Structure formats: structure tokens, C-alpha cells
Amino acid sequence: MVRIIQRLDNVKQEYAKLEEHALGDFKVGSIIGKMRALVADENVKVKANESKPIKIKPITIPQNHITFLSAYAANRYGHAVAAGGEVHLPLSMEKTVDNALFIASLNGNIKKDDLLGILILLPVEMLK
């Protein structure tokens, strides 16, 4: 379950209905994308104006998908600006994301299961 730092109980109830990390799929024209939650997998103390790596619950990136981070700040203490795994793999391979770089705008404590951001996955077809 994702711990959201807001008073919106109905949002929590909607997240509880979805599969782990999946926030839903969307369609732009004929392209179907996916949204996945970046969820903290550890407790971390953050300080304003500092960046810090945070372990997240693993997310599988299917082969031939590119990723973007939503510009909407999903955490009151700052924003996730990057997500990745230990080893860089080519676009043609399935990969796992297990950490995020978080830039804090306020002092605070990120707790395990806090929502850090939203990862957007879009399928691509390689032409060459």
C-alpha cells in the first residue's frame, strides 16, 4: 500500500484497488502508456536543497519502453528526478528500476511506502 502524505482518503482507497505500483494505463492517440508509482523501500531523512538516493520498490520496465518522470511533485518534501537500476541495459531488454534520486525542498523524513513520484512508461518501436 502506498502511503500518501495528504488528507485525501479517497485517493488512498483508489490506490488500494490497483495492482502493486500500477496506477493505471492511459492512451494518447493510438499509443498506450503505463503509469507506475515510485514507492520508497526505506526510511530516509532528507534536508532541504540536498539530493539523496532512495531505494524504491522494484518496478519492471518492459523491453522497448522508454520512461519519463511526471513533473507533478507527488511528495511534500521534494521531487524524484531520476530512477534507475544498478546496471544500464539496452532499450531492447527488460530492466528493473530499484532506486530513485530525490531532491528535497523541505526538511523531513521519507518513510517506507511513501509515494515519491510517478514513472511513465511508453512503448517505442526502433526503426534502425
Side-chain angles (χ1 to χ4, degrees):
M1 177 70 176
V2 175
R3 188 175 85 97
I4 302 171
I5 304 176
Q6 295 178 9
R7 297 180 194 188
L8 304 173
D9 288 334
N10 58 341
V11 173
K12 287 183 181 180
Q13 292 169 358
E14 288 300 314
Y15 281 127
K17 294 177 189 175
L18 301 171
E19 68 179 81
E20 188 173 23
H21 306 300
L23 300 177
D25 295 345
F26 63 93
K27 188 173 182 181
V28 178
S30 62
I31 299 171
I32 296 175
K34 304 172 186 309
M35 290 188 293
R36 300 294 182 256
L38 294 177
V39 179
D41 201 25
E42 65 178 338
N43 297 321
V44 177
K45 185 174 184 174
V46 295
K47 189 175 178 183
N49 302 317
E50 288 187 353
S51 63
K52 189 166 265 193
I54 298 177
K55 290 180 186 174
I56 60 171
K57 295 191 176 180
I59 299 171
T60 299
I61 309 298
Q63 66 182 23
N64 298 322
H65 277 67
I66 56 174
T67 61
F68 298 93
L69 284 163
S70 171
Y72 181 78
N75 188 287
R76 70 186 294 184
Y77 297 117
H79 194 75
V81 296
E86 187 175 321
V87 177
H88 177 74
L89 296 171
L91 185 66
S92 61
M93 296 180 71
E94 182 179 280
K95 30 196 151 323
T96 301
V97 172
D98 60 7
N99 63 73
L101 181 61
F102 189 82
I103 297 182
S105 54
L106 299 171
N107 295 335
N109 293 305
I110 303 291
K111 295 184 179 162
K112 188 174 181 173
D113 295 328
D114 277 357
L115 178 64
L116 300 177
I118 307 298
L119 190 65
I120 299 166
L121 290 77
L122 293 174
V124 295
E125 180 181 347
M126 299 305 294
L127 300 176
K128 269 191 165 181

